[in-house]
Amino acid sequence: MTEDARREHRTVGDVDLTTWRTRAGRTAAGAWVRLGERFGALPLLVVTLLIGIAVAAIGTWAASEVYEGVRQADDAAVLDRPVLDWMMTLRSPGADTVVTWWTNVAGTIGMPIVALGFLVGFTIQRRAWTPVVLLVAASAGSLLMTVAGKDLIGRARPPLADAVPPYEHSPSFPSGHTLNATVVVGTIVYLLLLRESRRVTRVWTVVLGTAFVVSVGCSRVFLGHHWLTDVLAAWALGVAWLAIVITAHRLYLTTLRHREETAPDGSESVLHRGS
């Protein structure tokens, strides 16, 4: 077994991440294994994530086109004003202060600090570069999607009269706080699940991570810094990008497993023996 392979955890509970149950999955994994044998597993992971970032950017453009159609038809956007009006009835000086503090945890200062803290912990504990690659790529993709979405749509935020200071003036769609929290915290949760053997611990990890992401999104509407549809789009884009990051890591793990289990005589790895 290689040193990198020993450091990697391939299962989440009873789910083996290197097992591909569909023909398309096995075909893609087989292609990645062959490329990994030629170029190396970690370099291939980096390239895969870079390609994924490009796909995410295209997906953001597609989402902006869909959003424009929805807005022109006044479908989902019809919820924006009533939801904001309801959120405004829940405000109080104390609640405004607490929610502002909480939303700043997912801001341009708070979220990098959270990511860096977990990054240092993962790197020291696992002595491997994989968590660094995943978190950096996930964060870069999230930032690109946020910037692209805002530039493409240029949607105005709710009126300042309906917002809680400090005010924000960048375009509203999508919610950057929500998108970044979804991707960064989602990646952290995924990396934690790879290390946790107890089901109750895994469940609580998912619950707490989900609660954080949902609460950050809700805080953006509560404070009047975003419309509801900005947050819904951010959740959707974040989950889609997170799925790409996790799939790239699964392909990387599959490549390591193939390298470990392929016999010296060239017999087939477990990937081709009916996984």
Side-chain angles (χ1 to χ4, degrees):
M1 181 184 298
T2 65
E3 185 178 0
D4 284 341
R6 287 197 299 270
R7 292 174 184 165
E8 299 299 334
H9 288 252
R10 301 169 182 157
T11 61
V12 175
D14 298 328
V15 178
D16 185 346
L17 298 176
T18 65
T19 297
W20 301 85
R21 301 187 182 280
T22 65
R23 176 177 296 180
R26 289 191 294 272
T27 300
W32 253 252
V33 163
R34 290 188 289 273
L35 289 172
E37 290 176 337
R38 181 172 181 179
F39 300 106
L42 189 57
L44 183 60
L45 173 61
V46 174
V47 171
T48 304
L49 289 170
L50 289 175
I51 295 173
I53 290 176
V55 172
I58 295 174
T60 303
W61 171 81
S64 70
E65 293 296 313
V66 172
Y67 172 77
E68 282 289 358
V70 170
R71 186 172 65 174
Q72 291 175 4
D74 202 26
D75 292 339
V78 75
L79 298 174
D80 285 338
R81 186 72 247 180
V83 170
L84 178 58
D85 289 341
W86 175 69
M87 286 285 190
M88 291 172 63
T89 66
L90 304 178
R91 293 176 185 169
S92 68
D96 294 352
T97 300
V98 171
V99 175
T100 298
W101 172 84
W102 183 249
T103 203
N104 286 338
V105 175
T108 55
I109 296 177
M111 205 71 254
I113 292 176
V114 171
L116 182 61
F118 277 95
L119 194 57
V120 171
F122 283 131
T123 303
I124 292 175
Q125 181 188 40
R126 299 179 61 178
R127 293 179 296 173
W129 286 105
T130 310
V132 178
V133 172
L134 290 180
L135 264 175
V136 169
S139 301
S142 175
L143 179 61
L144 177 61
M145 294 166 71
T146 300
V147 173
K150 290 181 181 297
D151 287 346
L152 287 168
I153 295 297
R155 187 187 192 190
R157 291 179 184 264
L160 294 184
D162 297 335
V164 175
Y167 303 118
E168 300 182 24
H169 302 282
S170 62
S172 188
F173 181 96
S175 167
H177 284 65
T178 306
L179 179 54
N180 293 328
T182 302
V183 172
V184 174
V185 173
T187 304
I188 290 172
V189 166
Y190 170 69
L191 291 171
L192 288 173
L193 292 177
L194 292 173
R195 302 287 298 183
E196 294 168 350
S197 57
R198 299 178 60 206
R199 175 174 296 182
V200 64
T201 306
R202 295 196 301 272
V203 170
W204 274 110
T205 298
V206 173
V207 168
L208 292 176
T210 302
F212 178 83
V213 170
V214 171
S215 64
V216 166
C218 292
S219 74
R220 306 307 291 159
V221 182
F222 178 92
L223 296 172
H225 294 170
H226 283 283
W227 300 104
L228 174 64
T229 44
D230 301 332
V231 171
L232 294 176
W235 279 331
L237 289 172
V239 170
W241 171 229
L242 184 60
I244 293 175
V245 171
I246 292 175
T247 300
H249 187 235
R250 289 187 62 197
L251 292 168
Y252 166 74
L253 293 176
T254 304
T255 303
L256 288 183
R257 182 179 180 184
H258 172 86
R259 180 186 301 173
E260 173 193 342
E261 297 186 357
T262 300
D265 61 1
S267 60
E268 291 182 318
S269 72
V270 68
L271 177 65
H272 303 289
R273 291 202 303 262
S275 59

